[in-house]
Amino acid sequence: QVQLVESGGGLVQSGGSLRLSCVASGNIFSIDSMAWYRQAPGKQRELVAKFSSGGTSVYADSVKGRFTVSGDDAKNTAYLQMNDLKTEDTAVYYCSARLRIWGTTTWDDYWGQGTQVTVSS
């Protein structure tokens, strides 16, 4: 019923930039928050950045000042602008959304399939 699709990943040199997009589609009544997570090989998935419908944003310490999360409510889309990329940013980036489906009263979390970001030195 709900699908999250990420795009914008790729290969970039250290110091470069990428912009990730995540589009949520389906039988969506309302979105409470959208977030970006990442998982590097051999590591646990970690929160990168998150913004809520109330306008608050949070960032992992490792990306503060380099990454910016934003959204377009009308398009059910989230963005992650990544600047000054470092090799340690290499990971699969996942989009997540907490939302309600029409006809329900619960908020549930949905995930995209991920997009690879590789930063070369």
Side-chain angles (χ1 to χ4, degrees), residues 48-104:
V48 176
K50 176 181 178 179
F51 75 95
S52 69
S53 59
T56 58
S57 300
V58 294
Y59 295 90
D61 288 343
S62 59
V63 306
K64 283 180 181 177
R66 300 188 297 122
F67 290 11
T68 302
V69 64
S70 62
D72 185 330
D73 290 344
K75 297 181 179 180
N76 286 342
T77 299
Y79 304 98
L80 184 68
Q81 178 65 44
M82 304 185 293
N83 298 328
D84 189 23
L85 282 160
K86 305 177 186 301
T87 55
E88 52 264 40
D89 294 318
T90 295
V92 177
Y93 284 70
Y94 297 91
C95 175
S96 175
R98 173 156 291 190
L99 54 85
R100 274 179 59 187
I101 296 175
W102 280 99
T104 68

Side-chain angles (χ1 to χ4, degrees), residues 16-45:
S17 298
L18 283 174
R19 188 191 195 209
L20 305 183
S21 299
C22 171
V23 180
S25 62
N27 199 23
I28 299 170
F29 171 72
S30 179
I31 296 178
D32 176 69
S33 61
M34 296 186 78
W36 290 95
Y37 288 76
R38 68 186 180 187
Q39 187 167 18
K43 295 188 177 181
Q44 290 188 334
R45 190 173 298 189

